[in-house]
Amino acid sequence: WALGAGRAGPLQLAPVYRALRKAFEDGKHEPGAADFYYGEMEMRRHADDIPRSERGLLTAYWALSGYGLRASRALAWLGTAMLLTIVLLMAVGLAKDTPKQTVTGTVPAGGGKVTFEIDKDDPKNPTGNRFTGERFEKALNVTLNSVVFRSSGQDLTTAGTYIEMTSRLTEPVLLGLAVLAIRNRVKR
């Protein structure tokens, strides 16, 4: 370094990473460009002129998937989220028993139209041993369905409904980040 020269910070280095990334992309070497993309994003995340909200978003993107470049990180988060969903469903989300449907109706004395009313009780919170093989299988079914935006059709408690909704929002995002990271690494 020259005498009196200042230190280069994130603001000065981000354009350098951007230019190097562009040069690699123009040379049709996308996997190499990805490394410079990672560096560019790191400089943006550490820059002082970036609003705090954007820095928080970049930090989350880095932590969850390494800016869409680290498939193992995204898959690890997906596995953790699925495991947490299974445990929460087994603990408080699955109903004690499948509520039975009841049918009531009246038959007019002289014959005629019969009217039936089909009702189903609300799911009851579980009691006793919540961590059984049968409950694990049900929780796994709900969790796997939530990764691909499907409803399991399983009777859930109120807490279970919210757990399923949360997993149906977060787990597909994590799966998408993993797919993006794999695509970015093998793209030619």
Side-chain angles (χ1 to χ4, degrees), residues 39-158:
E40 177 187 351
M41 296 300 283
E42 278 291 280
M43 294 304 108
R44 284 184 59 206
R45 185 167 68 96
H46 293 292
D48 292 333
D49 71 331
I50 301 292
R52 175 170 269 165
S53 60
E54 187 176 337
R55 226 176 309 157
L57 187 60
L58 287 171
T59 300
Y61 190 32
W62 166 79
L64 292 175
S65 69
Y67 306 115
L69 297 172
R70 304 295 187 258
S72 59
R73 195 178 296 179
L75 290 171
W77 278 108
L78 176 60
T80 301
M82 290 174 69
L83 184 62
L84 179 63
T85 300
I86 289 170
V87 170
L88 287 173
L89 285 172
M90 288 176 72
V92 296
L94 295 174
K96 179 179 177 183
D97 296 311
T98 302
K100 305 286 187 259
Q101 288 186 339
T102 56
V103 178
T104 57
T106 55
V107 179
K113 189 174 182 180
V114 178
T115 306
F116 290 105
E117 182 179 315
I118 300 176
D119 196 17
K120 189 175 183 182
D121 292 335
D122 289 335
K124 303 279 189 251
N125 285 324
T127 57
N129 188 5
R130 298 171 187 211
F131 297 96
T132 63
E134 181 183 344
R135 290 178 63 79
F136 173 78
E137 186 178 342
K138 287 179 181 180
L140 181 63
N141 181 24
V142 172
T143 303
L144 292 176
N145 278 316
S146 70
V147 172
V148 291
F149 290 114
R150 291 182 52 205
S151 178
S152 65
Q154 180 70 43
D155 288 315
L156 301 173
T157 63
T158 303

Side-chain angles (χ1 to χ4, degrees), residues 78 81 85 165-175:
L78 176 60
T85 300
M165 286 190 297
T166 303
S167 69
R168 286 178 66 186
L169 175 68
T170 57
E171 291 166 4
V173 169
L174 293 169
L175 181 62

